[in-house]
Amino acid sequence: MNNNTLTVEHLETHFVSRAGLVKAVDDVSFALAPGRIMGLVGESGSGKSMTGYSIMGLIDAPGRIAGGRILLHGQDLRSLSPEAMRHIRGNRIAMIFQDPMMTLNPVLRIDTQMIEAVLAHRDIGKHAALSIAREALVRVGIASPDERLNAYPHQFSGGMRQRVAIAIALLNAPDLIICDEPTTALDVTIQGQILYEMQKLCHDSNTALIWITHDLSVIAGLADTVSVMYAGRIVESGTVEQVLNHPRHPYTHGLIASAPSRNARGRPLRQIPGTTPSLLNLPSGCTFRNRCAHATEICAQTPPLREVDARALRCFHPIIEIATEAL
């Protein structure tokens, strides 16, 4: 019996433009158990955020989910009506966006927005909803919560707005939270506090968490598993220890090697040669082959996602395992 909170099978998300078809998410599959945290990493434009939006059902025209299944506790979200998905969003699934103003209404007070988010999914009174909102603000480190509840978003700093957006996602104790780089605007101290609260939430309430980021050091200290995306595809996934300390895909190895902490002081940063290809003009076969030092003729074919050393890997020439220092 499948007890996963979320199972994504062969997800395809396409956008049709005048220039051609863009496969923003291309054959993405993974599973996430209750209480587990998965990191989704990769360069900008690799499809990380679009995977999150697809799970939430937030793909608008000219985009569409072209194939695959998105199962929440076995229920296929793609089969639900728009009204049914509205009942699930913010209740059983929540998303924290990189820009908090995608969550907050600039003309409504914070208490109004948080109370409405609670009452939309719970049959309780306004006073009880207000207590839940106040507790959520305290959890994300906002001082004087009663005063802040009576304020408007423009009266908050960018970092404080983001903490409010995170608090709103926590209101209804969802089964799954998707975090799209939510701590980018926060200072290191508050970031550490939020990461601790997220880990505690997952441990205490069995909430599953997807953390989308390009910061490998955050994933190293937060996640249980990690999936690396490139050009819309997952190219390597496994436990954090496997992928970050023993990378097998050349792209994963390049990402880790280019981290500033791994470069000698006073020397130029190491980097992956070339640039990410346009999704409108992807190379045939392995999309990383034009940037890969290990590429051969067989890489003109599309590598399947297969099990290699207890991890999923999409590569014809896995790197010989070399242990790396922890991030």
Side-chain angles (χ1 to χ4, degrees):
M1 180 178 178
N2 187 345
N3 294 318
N4 290 322
T5 296
L6 179 71
T7 303
V8 175
E9 298 176 347
H10 307 291
L11 181 62
E12 302 268 351
T13 301
H14 297 171
F15 287 81
V16 179
S17 68
R18 292 180 180 178
L21 179 67
V22 174
K23 295 183 178 181
V25 180
D26 188 6
D27 192 24
V28 165
S29 299
F30 59 84
L32 189 58
R36 303 289 284 178
I37 302 175
M38 184 188 87
L40 196 57
V41 303
E43 294 172 283
S44 296
S46 62
K48 308 184 302 296
S49 296
M50 204 55 60
T51 299
Y53 296 152
S54 299
I55 295 169
M56 292 291 293
L58 296 177
I59 304 298
D60 294 325
R64 66 186 181 93
I65 298 179
R69 297 201 302 166
I70 304 168
L71 306 176
L72 181 69
H73 290 300
Q75 181 182 30
D76 191 352
L77 300 184
R78 291 194 61 204
S79 67
L80 300 181
S81 66
E83 181 179 0
M85 274 302 298
R86 280 195 295 272
H87 287 294
I88 285 179
R89 290 192 207 101
N91 182 24
R92 297 180 63 197
I93 304 179
M95 187 164 187
I96 305 170
F97 298 94
Q98 183 172 5
D99 180 3
M101 294 311 288
M102 293 181 69
T103 301
L104 301 176
N105 188 325
V107 300
L108 295 179
R109 289 191 335 193
I110 297 301
D111 59 353
T112 300
Q113 299 187 54
M114 297 187 76
I115 289 171
E116 287 183 352
V118 175
L119 296 182
H121 302 290
R122 298 198 203 185
D123 186 17
I124 60 176
K126 283 191 175 182
H127 182 73
L130 182 61
S131 296
I132 293 172
R134 184 186 297 109
E135 180 185 345
L137 291 184
V138 172
R139 291 182 68 182
V140 297
I142 292 182
S144 305
D146 293 308
E147 178 184 345
R148 298 302 184 181
L149 283 167
N150 291 322
Y152 288 87
H154 73 268
Q155 296 175 284
F156 289 71
S157 66
M160 191 170 289
R161 282 198 294 264
Q162 186 62 287
R163 278 183 274 171
V164 172
I166 293 171
I168 290 175
L170 302 178
L171 286 174
N172 293 307
D175 298 329
L176 171 68
I177 299 178
I178 301 171
C179 304
D180 189 6
E181 303 200 49
T183 58
T184 300
L186 305 181
D187 60 64
V188 175
T189 302
I190 298 301
Q191 182 186 73
Q193 180 181 350
I194 295 300
L195 295 178
Y196 170 78
E197 285 294 342
M198 288 298 187
Q199 286 181 312
K200 187 173 184 296
L201 171 74
C202 293
H203 181 268
D204 294 346
S205 62
N206 256 0
T207 300
L209 184 70
I210 298 176
W211 195 278
I212 298 170
T213 186
H214 62 272
D215 191 337
L216 295 175
S217 62
V218 169
I219 294 301
L222 173 71
D224 302 300
T225 61
V226 58
S227 293
V228 182
M229 290 194 71
Y230 183 79
R233 298 173 181 170
I234 289 179
V235 296
E236 184 170 7
S237 61
T239 67
V240 167
E241 196 279 333
Q242 284 176 326
V243 176
L244 298 188
N245 292 342
H246 309 277
R248 300 297 307 275
H249 196 283
Y251 176 65
T252 309
H253 188 273
L255 279 181
I256 296 171
S258 63
S261 61
R262 295 183 177 276
N263 288 265
R265 185 181 183 89
R267 294 184 181 179
L269 294 176
R270 284 176 285 182
Q271 58 185 314
I272 301 173
T275 59
T276 305
S278 167
L279 294 179
L280 282 167
N281 189 30
L282 290 173
S284 61
C286 175
T287 52
F288 186 64
R289 66 189 179 94
N290 292 340
R291 306 175 68 187
C292 180
H294 304 271
T296 63
E297 291 182 1
I298 195 174
C299 299
Q301 303 175 26
T302 301
L305 193 65
R306 56 197 177 96
E307 288 289 325
V308 177
D309 296 337
R311 79 184 75 193
L313 191 65
R314 194 187 294 272
C315 185
F316 289 117
H317 304 293
I319 291 176
I320 296 174
E321 185 173 349
I322 302 175
T324 61
E325 297 177 1
L327 288 165

